[in-house]
Amino acid sequence: MNFLVALVGCVLVATGLLGIAQPHLMLSWVRGWPQDVRFYVTVGTRVLLGLLFIFAAPKCRLPRFIRTIGIIALVAGVVYFFLGRGRLDLLIQWTFGQPSMFIQLLYAVTILFGVALIYSGSRRRSKG
């Protein structure tokens, strides 16, 4: 399962690099989705990634970090579910309205987070 953590990290690094190059590209793409799809993808990915990280944590290099991220992702999915579609769309609109430099900074943080996931999931933690 730690391979999946590293794979998610690779996807985040690729997403971050694309986002730095074209800050509004992915936001425009996501805004083009139907509201229901955006909502369920947002909630579902957070819940699934949260569960993945929680279950994969014991085999990772940084188990506490991965478990904590998993709990945060799971809680975020539940919070987004209770916030509802309308508030999620307001958050997307707010983000889309921010300057490119701010969005690029968010993508840079995404890259750093992805690198941490790659490192943590890259090999099994040794016993001892």
Side-chain angles (χ1 to χ4, degrees):
M1 281 185 105
N2 56 335
F3 167 75
L4 294 175
V5 172
L7 184 62
V8 169
C10 290
V11 169
L12 288 178
V13 168
T15 301
L17 291 171
L18 179 61
I20 287 174
Q22 296 287 324
H24 287 90
L25 179 67
M26 281 185 280
L27 288 171
S28 297
W29 180 58
V30 169
R31 274 183 29 179
W33 296 356
Q35 189 179 28
D36 287 348
V37 171
R38 278 194 305 257
F39 178 72
Y40 290 118
V41 166
T42 299
V43 171
T45 54
R46 276 151 186 83
V47 169
L48 288 174
L49 288 176
L51 292 172
L52 168 70
F53 291 163
I54 289 168
F55 288 121
K59 304 249 187 211
C60 290
R61 284 185 182 182
L62 306 171
R64 286 188 206 141
F65 171 73
I66 296 300
R67 187 177 303 109
T68 301
I69 295 302
I71 292 168
I72 290 169
L74 194 58
V75 168
V78 172
V79 167
Y80 281 140
F81 178 77
F82 286 112
L83 283 177
R85 291 180 198 102
R87 289 195 179 107
L88 179 62
D89 276 347
L90 287 174
L91 181 62
I92 292 169
Q93 294 301 328
W94 176 83
T95 306
F96 195 77
Q98 298 306 307
S100 293
M101 185 75 112
F102 176 78
I103 295 170
Q104 288 171 320
L105 178 63
L106 292 178
Y107 282 122
V109 171
T110 301
I111 291 170
L112 293 175
F113 181 63
V115 168
L117 290 178
I118 292 168
Y119 172 77
S120 184
S122 63
R123 70 174 174 90
R124 178 176 237 136
R125 192 169 73 130
S126 62
K127 296 182 181 188

